[in-house]
Amino acid sequence: MSVATKSSGLSRHTIEEKIEAVRQRIFQESSFRELQERHGICSATLSVWIKKYKAEVLRRFPVKDLPLYVLKYQETMTTEEENELTRLRRENEDLKLLHEANLLMIDMAKERFGIDIKKTTRRCYPAGA
C-alpha cells in the first residue's frame, strides 16, 4: 500500500484510494460498513472522506441518474465562500440581537415615559385632506 502525506503526519491511504472509496459509496457499489472494514477505518473517517472528496468524485465520474441526495451537495464551497457565510451568519446574529434591543427600548419608552413610538397603520392626515 502506498503512503501519502498530509498536514498532521502520515496517512496509510492515498488520495486516490480515498476517492475510490467515496466513489464506491456514492454510486452505491459498497456499503458504509464494507468500506470501513476494507480500509480499516472508523465511520467518522469515512464521513470526512465523503465530505472532502464528493465534489471531486462527481467531477471525475459524472452520472445523470444519481439520487437527488447525492446531487444536492455536488458543489462544495470555496474558502472565500465559507468565510463569507461565516461572516453573514455572525452579522445575522448581531442584527437579531440589535432588533431585540430595539424592541426592548420601545417597550421601555412606552412603560416609563408614556411614549408610543411603534408604527401604526393609522394615517395622520388633517381633516378634509
Side-chain angles (χ1 to χ4, degrees), residues 23-83:
R23 187 194 67 74
Q24 290 176 8
R25 183 64 205 124
I26 288 175
F27 297 138
Q28 300 177 346
E29 295 174 6
S30 298
S31 72
F32 211 81
R33 183 167 300 283
E34 289 171 339
L35 290 168
Q36 285 178 258
E37 292 172 1
R38 187 177 309 138
H39 294 282
I41 57 174
C42 66
S43 62
T45 299
L46 184 54
S47 294
V48 168
W49 289 5
I50 291 170
K51 183 177 180 181
K52 188 172 183 177
Y53 298 110
K54 182 185 284 186
E56 179 64 18
V57 167
L58 294 172
R59 186 186 65 74
R60 287 187 189 185
F61 309 99
V63 175
K64 292 182 180 181
D65 297 328
L66 284 176
L68 183 59
Y69 73 90
V70 173
L71 295 175
K72 182 177 179 184
Y73 298 103
Q74 184 170 356
E75 295 297 323
T76 58
M77 288 189 284
T78 65
T79 303
E80 183 179 306
E81 290 169 330
E82 287 178 1
N83 291 340

Side-chain angles (χ1 to χ4, degrees), residues 91-101:
E91 183 179 326
N92 191 40
E93 289 303 314
D94 291 346
L95 289 171
K96 285 179 183 178
L97 185 61
L98 183 60
H99 177 69
E100 289 297 318

